[in-house]
Amino acid sequence: MSAPGRRSSTFTRLLRHGFTDPSAAERLLDSVELMHVRDDPVLLEALGATADPDLALLGLVRLLEAQPGPTARHELLDTLIAAKPLRDRLLGVLGASAALGDHLHRHPRDWEALVTYEPRDLHPGVEEFERGLAGATDPVSLRVAYRRCLLSIAARDVCGTTDIAENAAELADLATATLRAALAIASAAAPEDAAMCRLAVVAMGKCGGHELNYVSDVDVIFVGEAVDSADEDKALRAATRLASHMMRICSETTVEGSIWPVDANLRPEGRNGPLVRTLSSHVAYYQRWAKTWEFQALLKARPVAGDIELGEEYVAALEPLVWKAAERENFVVDVQQMRRRVVENIPVAEVDRELKLGPGGLRDVEFAVQLLQLVHGRADAGLRSGTTLNALQALAAGGYVGRADAVQLDEAYRFLRSMEHRIQLYRLRRTHLVPEDEADQRRIGRSLGLRVDPVAELNREWRRHASVVRRLHEKLFYRPLLDAVAQLAPGEARLSAEAARERLVALGYADPAAALRHLEALASGVTRKAAIQRTLLPVLLGWFADSADPDAGLLNFRKVSDALGKTPWYLRLLRDEGAAAENLARVLSAGRLAPDLLMRAPEAVALLGDGGGDGGGLEPRGREQLEQEILAAVRRAQNAEQAVTAARGVRRRELFRTAASDIVGSYGTETQPAEADEGSLVDRVGGAISDLTAATLAGTLRAVVRESWGDTLPTRFAIIGMGRFGGHELGYGSDADVLFVHEPLEGVDERTAADAANKVVSEMRRLLQIPSADPPLLIDADLRPEGKSGPLVRTLKSYEAYYRRWSLVWESQALLRAEPVAGDEDLGRRFVELIDPLRYPAEGLGEDAVREIRRLKARMESERLPRGADPKLHSKLGPGGLSDVEWTVQLLQMQHGWAEPGLRTTRTREALAAACAAELISAEDAATLDEAWVLATRVRNAVMLVRGRAGDTFPSDVRELAAVGRYLGFADGHVGDMLDAYRRSTRRARTVVEELFYGA
């Protein structure tokens, strides 16, 4: 038993050397196996230098216990104490890998593989590994020999003898030797099959790229040919049996574990395709059917086993096709979509720990490097390396990537790969997740040389490097484009004009020459403005390229920058406020309406920032706020024209705010995902534009009255919103449907009052349509009694008399959406009291009235649809469109509104929800109608945002149609899916309309 003083001293020393459980360590040191060396400082120092001293000590004791006798045990200990190279390597492996510790326990003499330290052992190649595997004649002995070779690779890794690139290359060479050995075993088991065929094993992925992990699927493709005059079908079947047997040898798990899975799913047609094909069959597939990602995968193709000559023929035959992949129509879109799918498929709980596939992970670097290789490798053969770091170095040397950027990415990639290797080495399990356990993180951190506070340092370094990688889109794709148009120091490599043009074309820019001119105008020079632009543009170019029209985004940005270039806050806002730059990029590249509104007053850019600038950021403002601002501007104005100009200026700014909010909410940004509730988006847009229109009319009314009558108009005057205006459902391209009602003041004759009311209406319409930088507000009063032939303004009594004697059923239906929006509140309230019995008739509608409404609807469908329009894609009049849903809801309101208070609303969706709550319509049918109405409304808004003019059908222009798709949440290349989704939604809605409205 140890003395107390000695125990205390040992305990302290163990803590100082990094042991986390000194008590357990002390017991192990006191064991029989270590008794005569337990006080040797050399051993304790060596254990303390490992990634996990506790694990290393336990592994050492287990290894000593497993030795065949005392002599073997003393031999190991004496060699360990005397030979520093062995001590560092053996303890280093035991402290980093529990799995290799288990292997040494099962095969206790394998430690001798770490004794030899000849120069050739520093970087062994395939031949050396083949010699190490030469004695393996069956799957079990191959696994044992493989682990023995892996032991030496791991020893060089943890001791720092090899860096991560050399370590990964050694693992790939060992995999090559293993595939050859496994194929030899399979061939020996079936010599007739081997004699009948030529079989080439082509490595893909990390093995093909000489950058394999400790534990990874080894991706392969098999190519088979018949030998001499052998039957081709029989030869392919023989080759398939050999390939399958080889895969089983490597993949099957025994007490020795498995080597690694051999994955052949990168072959043509994936797992559904034949395992082995002839060379001609491979070529035919890639010429006709292959997708972009399959050519991307071929970048790393390398023959490794079997008939090497056949494998080289395979690579040579497909290489020309690989370097034409960037010319495919949807090349960049395909690559980007594949990357997005990878990220989307990561479980939410694992995204933040995903070292490989997550944002800022290894795959980001690999995808970007491969994309650049495919774009520029067509003309520059020096870029055609299958190894990521070599390719990155070549891209930097050729000026395709900035040198400083390449250095940062190289460092980040090496660190992340090193983390990945040390995570996998511990249990020899295939994983890319950073462990959550602090002890695991401590071991990983110490293995990477982080010793002061391993866990904190590891997480800090990991996040720092991931942050660098997250900027790779900017770093690798866009900054060199600026270098191509900027003045660089002598000797600095940069993209040629042709290379820059090719990159812009690959990224979706239709006019690369114009894009380069814009970049030159924005970023050239030595001014502070140009310097800030050079910082901003790489990011903005990426966001523009992510839109349906990158060229428009860049052109619009140049226009805004030219207009605001001398404004001190503009570039500072974009540089310093995280949301502003991305919001601006999305808005400028989403269509014509929002950029057009912005160009009329570029200072509205301030709305896009985090702080909101002019009044609350992108959140639409309420009716009360808007009216207060407009009325204040009216009071300050010298005359009515100036007042309405100010009101229209507020309207233009707020239309931009609403459009920008809608675009950001629909498209989403890196920091703000697209809104899932499309109904809320529609309600917000409709409510915001309706409130803005009402406030504009209120201000215009005040200005006109003040100009001619001071503060006292000789008649009370109210404006009643109708249609979508009254329903709070206005779109960007909607007119303001209204009725005008007045009532003479006491003592004023009706003629004088009528003249004043008509003058107010005439002047309001004139002032709101005067040509100016602000969009006009068109007032439509065609829903008034007698339509266009009737008087523009009527008294309340006149309305009462008309509705009592002449009102038709369609006029009662139109009044369902009547709501006072401006003017005399009491008069507006009394107008509503007047029309309520008409729109919600007691006991509902009679059969004749229902038939009349149905007849009018059918007539509208047949007569008002534009000639040549596809009815199924007409958002207003087509089957299941706005008209179908609205007329169905309005029929329910007129039939049941007298008994169901919830139906007495001007808003379509509210009325539909109330009908469902009253069980007048099933929840399923209500949801179907609501979905179709929301979708049709969004289509109309999208068309206006994209084209800058109103429309009820999908655009025919390809880019405009794609932009509408992006607004509706469909990625590039999925326009067909969008149209199918629209037809499907409206088809279901039409079925409900046929039943509820037409009674079918």
Side-chain angles (χ1 to χ4, degrees):
M1 181 176 291
S2 301
R6 178 185 175 278
R7 184 181 299 116
S8 175
S9 173
T10 304
F11 192 92
T12 303
R13 281 193 301 149
L14 290 171
L15 278 176
R16 189 171 67 248
H17 282 96
F19 288 86
T20 58
D21 190 352
S23 298
E26 191 171 11
R27 287 193 296 273
L28 290 172
L29 286 169
D30 285 341
S31 64
V32 173
E33 286 74 16
L34 291 175
M35 188 173 295
H36 76 281
V37 296
R38 64 188 176 192
D39 294 323
D40 194 314
V42 169
L43 178 62
L44 209 55
E45 289 287 343
L47 287 167
T50 65
D52 187 339
D54 301 87
L55 180 65
L57 177 57
L58 176 61
L60 177 59
V61 171
R62 293 180 69 220
L63 176 58
L64 288 167
E65 289 174 343
Q67 295 305 307
T71 302
R73 190 179 307 132
H74 285 300
E75 178 192 356
L76 170 57
L77 273 177
D78 291 344
T79 309
L80 189 73
I81 297 300
K84 185 178 188 306
L86 171 67
R87 186 166 62 246
D88 291 343
R89 281 177 257 156
L90 178 57
L91 295 182
V93 168
L94 291 174
S97 177
L100 289 177
D102 291 340
H103 171 83
L104 285 169
H105 186 258
R106 288 193 303 272
H107 304 279
R109 300 304 296 179
D110 275 4
W111 66 268
E112 295 173 354
L114 303 178
V115 174
T116 306
Y117 201 74
E118 299 294 333
R120 65 181 177 81
D121 293 322
L122 289 177
H123 305 294
V126 176
E127 292 75 14
E128 286 85 354
F129 287 125
E130 284 188 292
R131 283 194 289 272
L133 301 176
T137 57
D138 59 75
V140 174
S141 61
L142 180 61
R143 290 178 178 81
V144 174
Y146 174 83
R147 287 290 175 93
R148 188 182 304 120
C149 292
L150 193 65
L151 189 65
S152 63
I153 292 176
R156 286 187 289 275
D157 178 17
V158 298
C159 291
T161 307
T162 54
D163 66 13
I164 184 63
E166 293 165 336
N167 176 236
E170 287 185 10
L171 289 166
D173 285 341
L174 176 56
T176 297
T178 306
L179 288 170
R180 292 178 182 178
L183 184 56
I185 294 171
S187 298
E192 294 180 355
D193 286 345
M196 191 182 301
C197 65
R198 301 170 66 197
L199 176 63
V201 183
V202 179
M204 306 286 281
K206 289 187 180 301
C207 184
H210 258 105
E211 49 190 16
L212 196 61
N213 297 335
Y214 275 107
V215 187
S216 174
D217 291 354
V218 172
D219 296 305
V220 299
I221 283 179
F222 296 107
V223 187
E225 297 286 354
V227 172
D228 298 329
S229 58
D231 180 86
E232 184 176 278
D233 289 340
K234 289 183 178 179
L236 283 179
R237 287 196 291 273
T240 300
R241 288 192 292 271
L242 286 175
S244 299
H245 191 186
M246 187 201 81
M247 292 173 69
R248 286 196 302 275
I249 290 170
C250 296
S251 305
E252 286 178 354
T253 301
T254 68
V255 67
E256 296 293 341
S258 66
I259 300 175
W260 18 247
V262 177
D263 188 341
N265 289 336
L266 290 179
R267 66 186 185 268
E269 301 178 75
R271 66 184 60 191
N272 297 318
L275 184 63
V276 183
R277 288 175 182 257
T278 62
L279 177 57
S280 60
S281 175
H282 275 286
V283 173
Y285 172 84
Y286 283 104
Q287 286 176 334
R288 296 186 62 188
W289 308 110
K291 298 180 174 61
T292 300
W293 69 264
E294 293 178 277
F295 293 108
Q296 186 178 351
L298 285 170
L299 278 171
K300 295 182 180 293
R302 178 173 65 91
V304 292
D307 193 313
I308 299 298
E309 183 180 348
L310 177 59
E312 289 173 345
E313 290 175 14
Y314 168 88
V315 172
L318 294 180
E319 188 176 36
L321 300 179
V322 172
W323 301 112
K324 290 181 181 178
E327 299 170 8
R328 295 163 69 93
E329 184 176 351
N330 293 315
F331 166 67
V332 172
V333 172
D334 288 345
V335 175
Q336 290 173 338
Q337 285 180 348
M338 182 178 177
R339 178 68 189 116
R340 288 193 191 102
R341 282 196 296 272
V342 168
V343 175
E344 288 167 0
N345 289 331
I346 303 172
V348 175
E350 297 179 359
V351 170
D352 292 337
R353 297 193 294 126
E354 246 294 349
L355 201 61
K356 176 182 178 181
L357 304 177
L362 292 161
R363 188 56 60 85
D364 272 346
V365 180
E366 293 163 353
F367 262 60
V369 168
Q370 290 162 20
L371 186 53
L372 286 176
Q373 286 181 277
L374 290 171
V375 170
H376 299 297
R378 292 173 291 172
D380 190 342
L383 304 180
R384 299 178 183 181
S385 171
T387 306
T388 301
L389 290 177
N390 292 347
L392 181 57
Q393 185 178 6
L395 288 164
Y400 304 99
V401 175
R403 292 184 187 277
D405 300 336
V407 169
Q408 279 190 302
L409 280 160
D410 183 280
E411 291 175 355
Y413 187 73
R414 287 174 185 272
F415 182 85
L416 296 174
R417 284 301 306 274
S418 297
M419 269 189 76
E420 178 187 46
H421 275 217
R422 301 304 167 82
I423 291 169
Q424 293 184 349
L425 181 59
Y426 178 53
R427 290 289 186 191
L428 287 182
R429 290 176 181 166
R430 183 175 179 268
T431 179
H432 312 288
L433 291 178
V434 178
E436 295 177 294
D437 184 74
E438 187 172 314
D440 289 329
Q441 292 187 13
R442 180 177 182 272
R443 182 186 61 257
I444 297 165
R446 284 175 58 89
S447 76
L448 296 174
L450 308 174
R451 297 300 174 95
V452 177
D453 186 351
V455 174
E457 290 179 78
L458 176 70
N459 281 282
R460 184 166 57 249
E461 286 297 293
W462 169 31
R463 301 302 179 189
R464 180 174 70 84
H465 286 298
S467 176
V468 170
V469 174
R470 272 196 296 272
R471 298 197 304 272
L472 71 92
H473 213 60
E474 166 200 349
K475 294 291 185 183
L476 292 188
F477 283 88
Y478 303 110
R479 192 172 298 283
L481 290 169
L482 301 187
D483 294 341
V485 299
Q487 295 297 317
L488 298 182
E492 276 286 309
R494 70 176 187 178
L495 287 182
S496 65
E498 181 60 23
R501 188 194 71 79
E502 286 184 352
R503 185 174 298 193
L504 285 164
V505 169
L507 292 167
Y509 287 82
D511 189 349
L516 285 172
R517 288 197 301 272
H518 299 325
L519 293 178
E520 186 170 11
L522 289 163
S524 292
V526 295
T527 64
R528 187 168 180 273
K529 170 187 169 185
I532 297 177
Q533 288 282 24
R534 285 193 290 272
T535 301
L536 291 169
L537 275 167
V539 188
L540 291 167
L541 282 168
W543 288 324
F544 294 148
D546 193 37
S547 72
D549 195 348
D551 300 82
L554 181 55
L555 172 61
N556 289 331
F557 179 69
R558 181 180 176 184
K559 289 179 179 178
V560 173
S561 295
D562 287 346
L564 292 175
K566 295 183 180 179
T567 307
W569 55 263
Y570 167 59
L571 291 176
R572 188 169 62 245
L573 171 79
L574 299 185
R575 182 193 64 194
D576 297 341
E577 294 202 22
E582 186 173 4
N583 288 343
L584 179 62
R586 300 302 182 197
V587 166
L588 293 180
S589 55
R592 297 180 185 174
L593 178 65
D596 182 56
L597 292 169
L598 183 59
M599 299 309 169
R600 295 168 188 251
E603 64 275 5
V605 165
L607 299 174
L608 300 171
D610 297 328
D614 184 6
L618 291 181
E619 188 62 32
R621 302 166 74 195
R623 164 73 184 273
E624 186 176 343
Q625 283 181 292
L626 293 169
E627 196 163 313
Q628 284 178 356
E629 181 181 1
I630 289 175
L631 292 177
V634 168
R635 285 194 299 271
R636 291 192 299 269
Q638 296 180 359
N639 54 52
E641 191 164 320
Q642 283 186 4
V644 176
T645 297
R648 289 176 65 181
V650 172
R651 177 172 178 267
R652 182 251 314 129
R653 184 196 69 213
E654 295 302 320
L655 278 175
F656 171 75
R657 190 198 304 267
T658 301
S661 174
D662 189 14
I663 289 167
V664 171
S666 298
Y667 287 63
T669 64
E670 288 184 1
T671 56
Q672 178 180 330
E675 292 189 23
D677 188 353
E678 296 176 352
S680 295
L681 269 175
V682 165
D683 291 344
R684 188 166 69 198
V685 170
I689 298 176
S690 300
D691 285 345
L692 179 56
T693 300
T696 304
L697 290 177
T700 304
L701 175 59
R702 178 73 60 87
V704 169
V705 170
R706 192 184 69 166
E707 176 89 350
S708 299
W709 293 278
D711 291 328
T712 307
L713 186 68
T715 185
R716 295 183 180 86
F717 187 90
I719 303 174
I720 311 298
M722 298 289 286
R724 301 185 78 79
F725 184 17
H728 297 258
E729 297 162 355
L730 284 180
Y732 298 108
S734 301
D735 295 344
D737 289 315
V738 298
L739 298 177
F740 297 109
V741 57
H742 78 105
E743 185 178 66
L745 293 177
E746 206 171 313
V748 177
D749 65 87
E750 290 197 4
R751 178 64 182 222
T752 301
D755 288 345
N758 277 287
K759 183 177 179 180
V760 167
V761 172
S762 177
E763 190 66 2
M764 285 182 66
R765 297 179 82 176
R766 182 186 73 82
L767 291 172
L768 288 170
Q769 296 180 50
I770 291 176
S772 74
D774 300 311
L777 175 57
L778 302 179
I779 296 176
D780 187 341
D782 290 350
L783 291 175
R784 64 188 184 269
E786 302 178 76
K788 294 181 180 179
S789 59
L792 270 175
V793 190
R794 287 177 181 261
T795 63
L796 187 61
K797 289 182 179 179
S798 176
Y799 276 107
E800 183 181 10
Y802 176 84
Y803 288 137
R804 185 176 63 251
R805 298 183 60 189
W806 310 109
S807 177
L808 301 175
V809 67
W810 72 264
E811 291 177 296
S812 296
Q813 183 181 350
L815 289 171
L816 284 167
R817 308 180 85 177
E819 180 174 292
V821 294
D824 190 288
E825 292 182 5
D826 179 66
L827 182 59
R829 178 184 55 76
R830 286 187 284 131
F831 181 85
V832 169
E833 291 173 353
L834 167 67
I835 64 172
D836 271 352
L838 290 168
R839 53 185 180 177
Y840 311 123
E843 305 302 326
L845 291 175
E847 285 299 318
D848 290 344
V850 172
R851 279 195 297 272
E852 176 65 10
I853 290 174
R854 289 172 176 166
R855 186 187 66 79
L856 288 171
K857 177 71 170 66
R859 180 181 169 188
M860 184 177 69
E861 289 178 12
S862 63
E863 295 180 1
R864 293 183 58 187
L865 194 71
R867 181 172 297 178
D870 182 353
K872 293 181 180 178
L873 294 177
H874 197 281
S875 62
K876 182 178 181 181
L877 301 176
L882 294 171
S883 177
D884 264 4
V885 177
E886 289 168 0
W887 280 58
T888 300
V889 172
Q890 289 162 14
L891 182 60
L892 290 172
Q893 286 180 283
M894 296 184 76
Q895 288 176 317
H896 305 283
W898 64 279
E900 294 291 342
L903 290 173
R904 299 171 204 164
T905 174
T906 61
R907 306 181 188 217
T908 302
R909 297 187 72 212
E910 277 190 12
L912 184 56
C916 180
E919 299 183 352
L920 301 174
I921 179 174
S922 71
E924 182 180 356
D925 287 349
T928 297
L929 294 182
D930 185 73
E931 176 191 318
W933 188 88
V934 167
L935 180 56
T937 301
R938 297 201 76 216
V939 168
R940 295 182 95 200
N941 285 342
V943 169
M944 184 65 186
L945 284 169
V946 169
R947 303 180 69 194
R949 61 181 187 274
D952 293 314
T953 60
F954 289 89
S956 56
D957 179 84
V958 173
R959 286 214 166 195
E960 290 179 347
L961 188 61
V964 169
R966 293 296 298 275
Y967 174 87
L968 295 177
F970 292 87
D972 286 338
H974 289 269
V975 165
D977 294 340
M978 170 185 67
L979 297 178
D980 288 345
Y982 181 82
R983 292 188 185 100
R984 187 164 54 248
S985 175
T986 53
R987 184 171 62 248
R988 290 198 300 259
R990 180 65 180 193
T991 301
V992 176
V993 171
E994 294 280 358
E995 179 182 347
L996 291 179
F997 183 81
Y998 288 108

